[in-house]
Amino acid sequence: MADFLSAYSIQYWLESAPQGYLEGTEFGHLPGEEEPKLLQGDPLIHEQALRTTVQLVVGERCALSASSGLINAAPDEASKRFLATQTLDEARHVEVFTQRLYDLGVQKGELEDVIRRYANPNLVKFAEVLLEKVDKKDFVAGVVGQNIVLEGMAFNVFELMHAANQNLNPKFAHTLSGTIADERRHVGFGENRIGSLIRENPHRKGDIERMQKEMSYWMLATFADSFRSAPAREEMARARAQAGPAAAPSSWHGVDLGKADPEEMEHVLADTVLADFKKRLGRIGLEYQSPARP
Ligand SMILES: [Fe+2]
Ligand SMILES: [Fe+2]
């Protein structure tokens, strides 16, 4: 328990995040960094940037709701304090991605309309499955849904986006790298805290495994929409053509992001996230359930 306390304490959080990798940042990036001209000049690329960022805001709003809601459902004081730090992390993520929408030209008064217009309905369903568990104060299911499924997905999506934007958009890449560091801490908490609770409550396994299967399906449906749509494919081609060799993206899990077609990217992302779920669920004594493929 001593290790658990120190790695997930508020003191550790202060030293590693606000006084560590976030020190000197402004809305998650270096002061003065701006969105590249490319994003402002081409209407299709601009719209895709809005659409992508809206999904990040929707996911992070769900994480904010879940982490704050789970505080009062937590059975022990150390978990409540960790979830309080996570709540602030998630609120920060909502803020930095909302700020990106403003930086891309969204006016304050139209924010909610823009979010409603672009929010992927499958991602909204994914969030609803989790928030239903949180509303029932179901701590074990809530932590698995949030800290293993939602954050396992977020972590890999952010890593892929980071690799794709590292040279193209350093501002966005910096925002993502701080977020990735936070998500790594959240995923670690899920695994460390929940294993013993699953062992103490084996009768909960079936129910939680069904939730994972359902959330995984909505996640894959969200990925399918993002990579298979005609505007997404067109945007990827145009962005590559305009960015030039200096902005070439790196590779991710062995896939060259500068050359891969959208199907290859969808597959590597889906396979990486699902393999991650399987590994993490196995460690806490749950059996991964394969979702239907949309
Ligand atoms: Fe987050
Ligand atoms: Fe998180």
Side-chain angles (χ1 to χ4, degrees):
M1 199 68 178
D3 280 349
F4 176 77
L5 279 175
S6 56
Y8 298 104
S9 65
I10 292 172
Q11 184 59 35
Y12 176 79
W13 174 80
L14 281 171
E15 287 172 22
S16 60
Q19 299 159 8
Y21 54 82
L22 295 177
E23 187 148 38
T25 59
E26 224 167 61
F27 293 105
H29 56 82
L30 300 178
E33 284 182 318
E34 287 179 5
E35 293 293 329
K37 296 274 177 293
L38 177 69
L39 283 185
Q40 309 290 351
D42 183 320
L44 181 75
I45 295 180
H46 181 252
E47 186 177 324
Q48 282 300 115
L50 287 181
R51 191 184 301 276
T52 301
T53 310
V54 163
Q55 311 322 319
L56 304 184
V57 173
V58 170
E60 296 296 353
R61 281 184 176 184
C62 172
L64 172 58
S65 226
S67 52
S68 56
L70 287 170
I71 294 177
N72 282 329
D76 63 287
E77 292 299 317
S79 295
K80 287 178 193 288
R81 292 201 302 277
F82 174 78
L83 286 165
T85 67
Q86 180 171 350
T87 296
L88 198 54
D89 291 336
E90 306 302 359
R92 188 183 80 80
H93 302 165
V94 172
E95 183 170 272
V96 299
F97 295 129
T98 302
Q99 182 61 42
R100 182 171 195 237
L101 291 175
Y102 296 145
D103 293 348
L104 289 168
V106 172
Q107 300 299 305
K108 298 235 153 111
E110 61 179 8
L111 176 69
E112 296 306 321
D113 285 340
V114 168
I115 291 173
R116 258 191 303 276
R117 188 179 329 142
Y118 292 120
N120 186 309
N122 293 310
L123 184 60
V124 172
K125 295 221 178 72
F126 172 94
E128 281 168 1
V129 176
L130 168 59
L131 294 177
E132 199 187 292
K133 303 290 183 192
V134 176
D135 281 346
K136 288 185 186 145
K137 295 209 180 303
D138 183 342
F139 184 72
V140 187
V143 170
V144 173
Q146 171 177 265
N147 297 62
I148 307 267
V149 180
L150 168 67
E151 312 206 276
M153 169 182 79
F155 180 79
N156 285 294
V157 167
F158 293 155
E159 275 215 329
L160 172 64
M161 286 184 176
H162 183 265
N165 282 282
Q166 215 165 3
N167 300 320
L168 197 62
N169 188 344
K171 168 190 179 261
F172 186 37
H174 285 148
T175 308
L176 289 166
S177 61
T179 311
I180 290 168
D182 293 338
E183 301 303 354
R184 188 175 287 122
R185 194 166 53 244
H186 305 163
V187 172
F189 168 80
E191 264 190 48
N192 280 299
R193 180 64 191 98
I194 227 67
S196 59
L197 287 175
I198 300 276
R199 277 192 297 280
E200 289 157 25
N201 299 282
H203 63 284
R204 295 298 323 278
K205 281 187 186 179
D207 189 35
I208 296 172
E209 287 165 354
R210 269 192 299 281
M211 172 195 70
Q212 170 260 309
K213 187 176 176 181
E214 201 184 340
M215 289 179 77
S216 301
Y217 173 79
W218 298 122
M219 173 189 82
L220 293 180
T222 307
F223 292 170
D225 291 340
S226 316
F227 288 99
R228 294 179 207 170
S229 77
R233 303 170 71 96
E234 172 64 19
E235 182 266 345
M236 206 181 286
R238 273 201 224 175
R240 271 179 196 166
Q242 293 180 30
S250 35
S251 73
W252 190 71
H253 287 269
V255 169
D256 181 345
L257 300 177
K259 296 201 180 87
D261 58 30
E263 282 103 272
E264 269 178 88
M265 289 173 68
E266 183 190 342
H267 281 137
V268 71
L269 178 61
D271 292 350
T272 305
V273 176
L274 295 178
D276 229 36
F277 288 172
K278 196 170 189 174
K279 183 178 72 190
R280 293 184 195 282
L281 292 167
R283 284 194 204 131
I284 60 172
L286 290 173
E287 202 171 313
Y288 165 79
Q289 306 284 316
S290 287
R293 291 272 176 166

